[in-house]
PDB file of all heavy atoms in Angstrom:
ATOM      1  N   THR H   6      -0.448  14.763  13.959  1.00  0.00           N
ATOM      2  CA  THR H   6      -0.332  13.939  15.152  1.00  0.00           C
ATOM      3  C   THR H   6       1.102  13.472  15.324  1.00  0.00           C
ATOM      4  O   THR H   6       1.587  12.620  14.591  1.00  0.00           O
ATOM      5  CB  THR H   6      -1.270  12.717  15.037  1.00  0.00           C
ATOM      6  OG1 THR H   6      -2.592  13.191  14.800  1.00  0.00           O
ATOM      7  CG2 THR H   6      -1.244  11.905  16.301  1.00  0.00           C
ATOM      8  N   ALA H   7       1.799  14.023  16.290  1.00  0.00           N
ATOM      9  CA  ALA H   7       3.226  13.738  16.472  1.00  0.00           C
ATOM     10  C   ALA H   7       3.410  12.661  17.524  1.00  0.00           C
ATOM     11  O   ALA H   7       3.831  12.918  18.641  1.00  0.00           O
ATOM     12  CB  ALA H   7       3.978  15.003  16.857  1.00  0.00           C
ATOM     13  N   VAL H   8       3.057  11.439  17.176  1.00  0.00           N
ATOM     14  CA  VAL H   8       3.234  10.316  18.087  1.00  0.00           C
ATOM     15  C   VAL H   8       3.854   9.167  17.302  1.00  0.00           C
ATOM     16  O   VAL H   8       3.639   9.021  16.111  1.00  0.00           O
ATOM     17  CB  VAL H   8       1.898   9.864  18.710  1.00  0.00           C
ATOM     18  CG1 VAL H   8       1.352  10.931  19.640  1.00  0.00           C
ATOM     19  CG2 VAL H   8       0.852   9.536  17.635  1.00  0.00           C
ATOM     20  N   SER H   9       4.631   8.346  17.988  1.00  0.00           N
ATOM     21  CA  SER H   9       5.224   7.174  17.361  1.00  0.00           C
ATOM     22  C   SER H   9       4.167   6.115  17.143  1.00  0.00           C
ATOM     23  O   SER H   9       3.171   6.039  17.865  1.00  0.00           O
ATOM     24  CB  SER H   9       6.350   6.622  18.243  1.00  0.00           C
ATOM     25  OG  SER H   9       7.384   7.570  18.377  1.00  0.00           O
ATOM     26  N   ASP H  10       4.394   5.277  16.134  1.00  0.00           N
ATOM     27  CA  ASP H  10       3.468   4.176  15.890  1.00  0.00           C
ATOM     28  C   ASP H  10       3.566   3.183  17.042  1.00  0.00           C
ATOM     29  O   ASP H  10       4.662   2.713  17.359  1.00  0.00           O
ATOM     30  CB  ASP H  10       3.825   3.488  14.568  1.00  0.00           C
ATOM     31  CG  ASP H  10       2.758   2.516  14.120  1.00  0.00           C
ATOM     32  OD1 ASP H  10       2.519   1.522  14.841  1.00  0.00           O
ATOM     33  OD2 ASP H  10       2.151   2.744  13.061  1.00  0.00           O
ATOM     34  N   PRO H  11       2.462   2.860  17.712  1.00  0.00           N
ATOM     35  CA  PRO H  11       2.544   1.980  18.877  1.00  0.00           C
ATOM     36  C   PRO H  11       3.016   0.565  18.538  1.00  0.00           C
ATOM     37  O   PRO H  11       3.564  -0.118  19.412  1.00  0.00           O
ATOM     38  CB  PRO H  11       1.110   1.976  19.414  1.00  0.00           C
ATOM     39  CG  PRO H  11       0.262   2.388  18.265  1.00  0.00           C
ATOM     40  CD  PRO H  11       1.085   3.327  17.447  1.00  0.00           C
ATOM     41  N   TYR H  12       2.822   0.110  17.308  1.00  0.00           N
ATOM     42  CA  TYR H  12       3.270  -1.231  16.942  1.00  0.00           C
ATOM     43  C   TYR H  12       4.750  -1.267  16.577  1.00  0.00           C
ATOM     44  O   TYR H  12       5.397  -2.299  16.722  1.00  0.00           O
ATOM     45  CB  TYR H  12       2.452  -1.757  15.763  1.00  0.00           C
ATOM     46  CG  TYR H  12       1.012  -2.076  16.082  1.00  0.00           C
ATOM     47  CD1 TYR H  12       0.470  -1.862  17.344  1.00  0.00           C
ATOM     48  CD2 TYR H  12       0.169  -2.593  15.098  1.00  0.00           C
ATOM     49  CE1 TYR H  12      -0.852  -2.145  17.627  1.00  0.00           C
ATOM     50  CE2 TYR H  12      -1.154  -2.894  15.373  1.00  0.00           C
ATOM     51  CZ  TYR H  12      -1.665  -2.658  16.639  1.00  0.00           C
ATOM     52  OH  TYR H  12      -2.999  -2.948  16.900  1.00  0.00           O
ATOM     53  N   PHE H  13       5.268  -0.155  16.061  1.00  0.00           N
ATOM     54  CA  PHE H  13       6.664  -0.096  15.621  1.00  0.00           C
ATOM     55  C   PHE H  13       7.282   1.215  16.124  1.00  0.00           C
ATOM     56  O   PHE H  13       7.598   2.115  15.334  1.00  0.00           O
ATOM     57  CB  PHE H  13       6.741  -0.173  14.094  1.00  0.00           C
ATOM     58  CG  PHE H  13       6.077  -1.389  13.517  1.00  0.00           C
ATOM     59  CD1 PHE H  13       4.789  -1.317  13.010  1.00  0.00           C
ATOM     60  CD2 PHE H  13       6.719  -2.614  13.519  1.00  0.00           C
ATOM     61  CE1 PHE H  13       4.156  -2.438  12.488  1.00  0.00           C
ATOM     62  CE2 PHE H  13       6.103  -3.744  12.999  1.00  0.00           C
ATOM     63  CZ  PHE H  13       4.815  -3.660  12.491  1.00  0.00           C
ATOM     64  N   PRO H  14       7.476   1.341  17.430  1.00  0.00           N
ATOM     65  CA  PRO H  14       7.956   2.612  17.986  1.00  0.00           C
ATOM     66  C   PRO H  14       9.347   3.002  17.511  1.00  0.00           C
ATOM     67  O   PRO H  14       9.711   4.174  17.580  1.00  0.00           O
ATOM     68  CB  PRO H  14       7.923   2.367  19.502  1.00  0.00           C
ATOM     69  CG  PRO H  14       7.918   0.880  19.666  1.00  0.00           C
ATOM     70  CD  PRO H  14       7.192   0.340  18.483  1.00  0.00           C
ATOM     71  N   ALA H  15      10.135   2.035  17.026  1.00  0.00           N
ATOM     72  CA  ALA H  15      11.473   2.366  16.535  1.00  0.00           C
ATOM     73  C   ALA H  15      11.450   2.916  15.121  1.00  0.00           C
ATOM     74  O   ALA H  15      12.468   3.407  14.629  1.00  0.00           O
ATOM     75  CB  ALA H  15      12.372   1.132  16.587  1.00  0.00           C
ATOM     76  N   ASN H  16      10.309   2.813  14.442  1.00  0.00           N
ATOM     77  CA  ASN H  16      10.220   3.261  13.055  1.00  0.00           C
ATOM     78  C   ASN H  16       9.532   4.614  12.975  1.00  0.00           C
ATOM     79  O   ASN H  16       8.436   4.800  13.492  1.00  0.00           O
ATOM     80  CB  ASN H  16       9.463   2.239  12.209  1.00  0.00           C
ATOM     81  CG  ASN H  16      10.302   1.031  11.887  1.00  0.00           C
ATOM     82  OD1 ASN H  16      10.663   0.264  12.784  1.00  0.00           O
ATOM     83  ND2 ASN H  16      10.640   0.852  10.622  1.00  0.00           N
ATOM     84  N   GLY H  17      10.185   5.544  12.287  1.00  0.00           N
ATOM     85  CA  GLY H  17       9.621   6.863  12.109  1.00  0.00           C
ATOM     86  C   GLY H  17       9.976   7.800  13.248  1.00  0.00           C
ATOM     87  O   GLY H  17      10.211   7.378  14.383  1.00  0.00           O
TER      88      GLY H  17
END
Side-chain angles (χ1 to χ4, degrees):
T6 304
V8 293
S9 297
D10 191 297
Y12 290 2
F13 304 98
N16 284 66

